[in-house]
Amino acid sequence: MIRLKVPATTANLGSGFDTLGMALTLYNIFTVKEILPEGEYTCDIYGEGADELKDARKNMLVTSYIKACNEWNVPIHGFSFESCNAVPLNRGLGSSSTAVVAGVAIANVLSGLNLPEAELLRVMTKIEGHPDNVVPCYIGGMTVSCWDGESLRYVRLPALPDDLNVIAAVPDFEVHTEDARRILPESVPFRDAVFNVSHASILCAAWAMGRWDLLRVGMEDRLHQPHRAKLFPGSTGEKFFSEIANHPDCVATAISGSGPTMIAIVHGLAGKLSQAMCRIFTDGGAASHFFVLNCSSHGTVIES
Ligand code: HSE
């Protein structure tokens, strides 16, 4: 039996496209129950995606497990597993990364290779295509990652303090990451590139030094959010960046990953801000719900 408790993540944090990510206190729990002959996979899925994910052979946990075994040239086992999912699918909270992380970690355990963290993260990133979800998902906290298609470098920053919470407002419509990447431009004006370099740098420096007053400016972005805001119904996207960013309880706001979940970092009482975020979705014609979360500092926990 292998049990993995794997956190949701919020990637980008505005200015840090494909670079910054934070683990959140919302989890999928995967349990490998029994080893089966090669090529045999069965699963029981509970919670989010219970209908969509029930074909075990197509489940990203299994496909990632097989890719990791091939990467390391080790025997590929079959297995039965249970997946208890609290992370909503296709909402920008890293649900696919939880499956990639679990699949690679299971390959590491079942093969007995006991590989170092950096190699596991390299393979997770290779499978996912970008590092900003899988790195914090596996090691926890807030991370800065740099991936050139072959090598991965990463640094973990201090976790968000307990008095700062993360509100995730999750609408009932889905956005697929491929679609949210397809709408991005091939090139951007030089001044916008400079804008993001300076804002992401301020964000990392402020985070490292505990200058939480600079998060709002540090999370401002010109690379992807202005384009992705158009994937939201009506003027929902623009309203988030005008009304929520200026809400008295909001420290900073961003699209979570490739969306459509919106996050806001909040200091103190979270009720009014959570309500205001969901009301913007309601005004745009979308039902929504919210979570009030913290930064998950321990990342993926594995018991075997
Ligand atoms: N950095 C990725 C993107 C995150 O924004 O496309 C996807 O979850």
Side-chain angles (χ1 to χ4, degrees):
M1 187 113 127
I2 308 167
R3 184 174 174 273
L4 305 100
K5 186 175 171 189
V6 190
T9 42
T10 184
N12 301 327
L13 280 297
S15 58
F17 182 74
D18 275 3
T19 302
L20 303 181
M22 177 167 55
L24 297 171
T25 51
L26 180 70
Y27 300 92
N28 287 342
I29 298 179
F30 304 102
T31 309
V32 176
K33 297 189 293 186
E34 195 184 351
I35 302 299
L36 301 175
E38 184 181 343
E40 282 187 30
Y41 299 96
T42 64
C43 63
D44 297 311
I45 314 282
Y46 299 94
E48 299 288 342
D51 292 330
E52 298 98 306
L53 303 173
K54 61 187 172 206
D55 182 346
R57 288 200 62 83
K58 289 189 186 155
N59 191 293
M60 216 179 254
L61 179 148
V62 170
T63 56
S64 301
Y65 165 75
I66 294 170
K67 284 178 187 167
C69 290
N70 286 331
E71 182 79 20
W72 300 323
N73 206 15
V74 294
I76 302 174
H77 300 283
F79 52 80
S80 66
F81 68 99
E82 180 189 293
S83 184
C84 180
N85 297 341
V87 183
L89 256 58
N90 297 320
R91 300 300 208 292
L93 288 168
S95 77
S96 66
S97 291
T98 68
V100 172
V101 164
V104 174
I106 290 166
N108 186 44
V109 174
L110 291 184
S111 65
L113 286 173
N114 202 14
L115 291 161
E117 176 186 286
E119 171 59 7
L120 299 179
L121 289 174
R122 183 190 69 80
V123 173
M124 290 166 185
T125 303
K126 190 173 169 186
I127 293 170
E128 178 81 340
H130 48 86
D132 46 335
N133 291 108
V134 291
V135 173
C137 181
Y138 188 62
I139 69 172
M142 164 79 165
T143 62
V144 188
S145 308
C146 178
W147 170 247
D148 61 10
E150 283 179 22
S151 302
L152 175 72
R153 273 124 192 144
Y154 59 97
V155 173
R156 188 181 148 142
L157 292 174
L160 200 63
D162 284 341
D163 61 337
L164 293 179
N165 288 303
V166 180
I167 300 169
V170 186
D172 69 353
F173 61 90
E174 299 186 355
V175 168
H176 291 266
T177 298
E178 311 85 70
D179 298 330
R181 292 180 86 85
R182 209 173 296 122
I183 62 153
L184 300 179
E186 281 292 317
S187 57
V188 295
F190 193 78
R191 64 180 175 279
D192 287 350
V194 173
F195 181 96
N196 267 63
V197 169
S198 59
H199 283 69
S201 302
I202 278 287
L203 176 56
C204 294
W207 202 292
M209 302 304 288
R211 286 287 309 275
W212 310 113
D213 57 306
L214 289 172
L215 293 196
R216 175 189 302 248
V217 168
M219 282 170 61
E220 285 174 11
D221 158 72
R222 287 190 186 163
L223 291 188
H224 64 108
Q225 294 186 152
H227 305 284
R228 287 174 164 177
K230 295 177 192 137
L231 294 172
F232 289 77
S235 56
T236 306
E238 288 140 42
K239 276 191 179 172
F240 269 107
F241 293 110
S242 52
E243 291 177 26
I244 297 302
N246 292 314
H247 191 283
D249 298 332
C250 180
V251 175
T253 189
I255 297 175
S256 185
S258 53
T261 292
M262 291 297 304
I263 55 153
I265 298 179
V266 61
H267 185 246
L269 298 175
K272 284 187 183 151
L273 184 53
S274 305
Q275 192 180 46
M277 292 169 81
C278 286
R279 188 172 298 131
I280 290 179
F281 280 126
T282 308
D283 291 348
S288 61
H289 63 282
F290 66 85
F291 297 103
V292 181
L293 306 168
N294 285 100
C295 178
S296 169
S297 53
H298 44 63
T300 295
V301 176
I302 304 168
E303 295 164 21
S304 61

